[in-house]
Amino acid sequence: MRSARTLQQLTIKRSIHPPPPQRSAGIIGAPFSKGQHRAGVETGPDRIRAAGLLQRLQQQGCAVKDYGNLTFEDVALDEPVQGSKSVRAVGSANQRLSEAVQAMKRDGHTAVMLGGDHSLAIGSVHGHSAAVGPLSVVWVDAHADVNTPLTSSTGNIHGQPMSYLLYELQSKIPALPSFSWMKACVSARDLVYIGLRDVDPAEHYILKLLGVKVFSMSQVDQLGVARVMEETCDYLCASAQKPIHLSYDIDAIDPSVTPATGTPVVGGLTYREGLYITEHLSQTGLLSAVDLVEVNPKRGRTEEEVLSTVTTAVDLLLGCFGHVREGNHPSDYRLPEPQR
């Protein structure tokens, strides 16, 4: 006989695979680069759209509303504060993004934020939580992005967003200009990292201290991506099934596939592993918002490198909305009748 615990686990697994509802994607572009110092990442949203994202989502039966690109004000005299660069610009941009994500969720969409750099996750996750309540966050990235302003060696806020979002780190975040609107909204227990392979000493300490669930690339290699995703969903759904926010940095994928990004790190996810993550999360029925960030066309040495990066980004997003590699058909498809 199966144990009570085994039956409970089976119930959890079945309950997170309901029949998929009609999917509806709200798309917002955030052409913002001030969270880091490499120009070009602000062109990511338009390149991803130009690669056919909206049309391909519609072709697979997904309703789409494009909210266009946010515009961000130039901030004069944005000197470093507490060691962090462009604080006022990053704070202001993320406040605008938070409001935009809240509007998309009120309209009933799965929110898709096209970056821009990963500092934008501050506003995206904050807006998502403000709209729907407590979240689970799956952070797919080569980097942990959990430095605090006082532990960051570069001062680039794209390496810090998770520290702003975690309840457990709020005592370590100094008061910063343009961030008075910001409130922590994620518990360390509700966070899972996948794909890490370049983690600073302070970040490593933070992750261990808080007991964050981490699947580094070493663990992906050891366990296989299917086991990683099964354990991720079991972990996140063990106590309650919260909406999932997927924050996907394109540098999680190996740079042999996605070289046009600002901080590539060798030894990353394969194209197939990267897609499997999105497909699996889509099948839970809990995926409620997605960030796709750090596509930087100016970092590609050739147009082929840019195209490989951009088309992979599109494919990852299609996986979030039900695309499966064994084939798809519209829900209303019927075989044609022969003429008599």
Side-chain angles (χ1 to χ4, degrees):
M1 291 182 63
R2 288 192 174 103
S3 68
R5 178 173 175 78
T6 302
L7 289 172
Q8 182 184 28
Q9 290 172 335
L10 287 172
T11 301
I12 290 172
K13 289 177 184 178
R14 288 170 183 155
S15 66
I16 65 173
H17 292 277
Q22 173 66 33
R23 300 171 192 266
S24 176
I27 313 290
I28 190 80
F32 183 78
S33 63
K34 298 293 181 63
Q36 47 85 66
H37 65 276
R38 294 181 175 91
V41 72
E42 71 279 1
T43 67
D46 287 342
R47 285 299 301 258
I48 293 170
R49 285 192 185 91
L53 173 64
L54 276 64
Q55 297 89 333
R56 293 184 64 190
L57 282 170
Q58 291 166 339
Q59 288 168 3
Q60 67 184 48
C62 181
V64 179
K65 180 174 180 180
D66 189 353
Y67 288 75
N69 286 349
L70 292 171
T71 56
F72 304 109
E73 59 182 326
D74 289 327
V75 179
L77 302 175
D78 200 359
E79 297 298 324
V81 179
Q82 297 282 353
S84 293
K85 302 171 184 175
S86 302
V87 169
R88 292 174 178 83
V90 173
S92 173
N94 274 290
Q95 184 174 14
R96 293 210 62 195
L97 178 58
S98 174
E99 293 165 354
V101 170
Q102 290 177 60
M104 287 194 289
K105 294 308 298 179
R106 285 195 298 268
D107 290 345
H109 302 296
T110 298
V112 177
M113 184 274 285
L114 306 178
D117 70 61
H118 216 164
S119 70
L120 293 161
I122 297 171
S124 181
V125 175
H126 178 275
H128 188 192
S129 178
V132 306
L135 301 172
S136 296
V137 175
V138 178
W139 196 276
V140 185
D141 202 327
H143 312 89
D145 293 348
V146 74
N147 271 303
T148 71
L150 303 181
T151 67
S152 172
S153 62
T154 66
N156 295 325
I157 300 181
H158 79 154
Q160 305 174 26
M162 206 60 236
S163 73
Y164 288 71
L165 294 164
L166 285 171
Y167 293 118
E168 292 85 350
L169 291 179
Q170 289 319 285
S171 64
K172 307 300 181 184
I173 306 298
L176 298 171
S178 299
F179 274 93
S180 60
W181 60 273
M182 174 65 200
K183 299 292 185 293
C185 54
V186 179
S187 169
R189 173 59 182 78
D190 296 321
L191 171 63
V192 176
Y193 282 99
I194 300 173
L196 298 188
R197 55 193 185 276
D198 185 11
V199 179
D200 294 340
E203 293 180 304
H204 187 261
Y205 175 82
I206 289 167
L207 296 177
K208 293 291 185 182
L209 179 69
L210 301 184
V212 176
K213 188 74 167 175
V214 174
F215 294 100
S216 68
M217 278 310 305
S218 295
Q219 290 163 304
V220 174
D221 289 341
Q222 179 183 4
L223 299 174
V225 71
R227 173 78 176 276
V228 165
M229 293 313 300
E230 182 178 353
E231 291 192 13
T232 293
C233 291
D234 284 350
Y235 174 81
L236 292 177
C237 296
S239 57
Q241 294 182 23
K242 299 172 183 174
I244 293 174
H245 188 112
L246 172 61
S247 200
Y248 211 126
D249 189 321
I250 200 70
D251 73 22
I253 308 293
D254 191 80
S256 62
V257 180
T258 57
T261 188
T263 52
V265 184
V266 297
L269 297 165
T270 66
Y271 174 84
R272 296 184 312 194
E273 289 169 337
L275 281 184
Y276 188 92
I277 291 169
T278 65
E279 292 168 353
H280 192 95
L281 290 175
S282 174
Q283 290 167 11
T284 68
L286 298 173
L287 189 58
S288 181
V290 183
D291 309 325
L292 199 293
V293 299
E294 299 284 357
V295 171
N296 189 334
K298 289 189 177 180
R299 303 299 293 180
R301 294 171 296 182
T302 64
E303 183 58 27
E304 288 75 15
E305 288 191 350
V306 175
L307 187 60
S308 179
T309 305
V310 170
T311 56
T312 299
V314 170
D315 291 345
L316 294 173
L317 291 167
L318 295 177
C320 292
F321 289 89
H323 186 272
V324 290
R325 283 168 283 174
E326 57 263 35
N328 300 264
H329 65 270
S331 58
D332 59 351
Y333 183 83
R334 296 291 184 272
L335 289 174
E337 296 291 338
Q339 294 185 351
R340 300 184 184 279

